[in-house]
Amino acid sequence: MLNIIISRGSADLDNKNYVFSPDTYFKYNYEEEWFNDNLVTTMVFDIDSSIVESPHMINSPILGQIAPERLSGGVKALIIMYKEPDLIVNASACGDNCAKWILEIGKRTDLTIRLGYEMEFPEPFDICIKNSGHITHTYEDFLKKFQEVEIIER
C-alpha cells in the first residue's frame, strides 16, 4: 500500500531512512542491475521519453546519449522508491506525471513517501495518510485530508 507523510515544512523527517534529495541519493547509490528491470525501463520511457540501451547509456530524444545520473529527478525518485522501498523518498521531486507510477509501486510493495504538495493521483486508489492514519480512495478526499493535516500540524 502507498503511505504518504504530508509535510510542506522546511523541517526534514527525523528518520535515518529519509531521502531528502533523490538526485543526490541516486547519483551515489544506484545499481546497474536496476536498469535490467522492465518496470524501470518502462518508467524511464514514460516519464523522460528515453530508452534504456544499457545500464550505462540511455538514449534521450533531447539530450542524446546520457548516463543514468542525467535522468530527470522524477524518474530517479521513482526508481529509488521501487528498488529501495524501505526508504522514505521525498516525492516532491516528482511531478504529477509520476503519480500513476507511485501508485503502481505502492500496489507491488508497502511504500512510504513524503509529499509536500497535492499530487494529482488517478482514481481510484488506496492511499494511507500516515499523519492521520486515514485511508483515502478519491482525489477529492485526498485534498481534504491533505488540508486537514496542514491545518492540524501548523
Side-chain angles (χ1 to χ4, degrees):
M1 174 176 262
L2 175 58
N3 301 284
I4 296 178
I5 299 168
I6 295 171
S7 174
R8 279 197 221 226
S10 59
D12 295 335
L13 291 174
D14 186 22
N15 187 311
K16 65 179 181 159
N17 289 336
Y18 177 54
V19 176
F20 174 74
S21 174
D23 283 322
T24 302
Y25 183 87
F26 187 89
K27 180 177 180 179
Y28 296 106
N29 295 284
Y30 84 89
E31 297 180 22
E32 292 178 5
E33 61 265 13
W34 292 359
F35 290 93
N36 295 323
D37 186 300
N38 286 337
L39 184 63
V40 169
T41 60
T42 302
M43 290 189 300
V44 168
F45 183 77
D46 185 57
I47 301 299
D48 285 1
S49 301
S50 298
I51 298 170
V52 175
E53 301 289 348
S54 76
H56 303 283
M57 189 193 65
I58 296 164
N59 194 354
S60 165
I62 297 168
L63 302 173
Q65 295 178 348
I66 61 170
E69 297 92 345
R70 295 201 53 210
L71 289 167
S72 70
V75 81
K76 287 188 272 190
L78 290 172
I79 294 169
I80 296 166
M81 289 175 206
Y82 176 52
K83 290 299 184 177
E84 299 200 7
D86 291 336
L87 297 176
I88 300 169
V89 177
N90 180 5
S92 292
C94 299
D96 285 342
N97 61 338
C98 296
K100 70 179 182 182
W101 294 111
I102 294 171
L103 289 173
E104 177 61 31
I105 296 165
K107 288 177 187 173
R108 294 173 181 230
T109 187
D110 281 335
L111 175 67
T112 300
I113 62 172
R114 177 235 174 230
L115 192 59
Y117 76 98
E118 299 95 338
M119 181 177 281
E120 191 169 347
F121 292 98
E123 297 179 11
F125 53 73
D126 297 314
I127 294 175
C128 177
I129 307 296
K130 294 292 280 186
N131 308 62
S132 65
H134 182 83
I135 297 177
T136 183
H137 307 284
T138 66
Y139 187 63
E140 182 179 350
D141 192 38
F142 174 73
L143 290 175
K144 287 178 186 174
K145 298 305 174 189
F146 196 103
Q147 296 304 316
E148 286 174 10
V149 167
E150 285 195 316
I151 289 168
I152 291 170
E153 293 191 358
R154 278 192 192 167

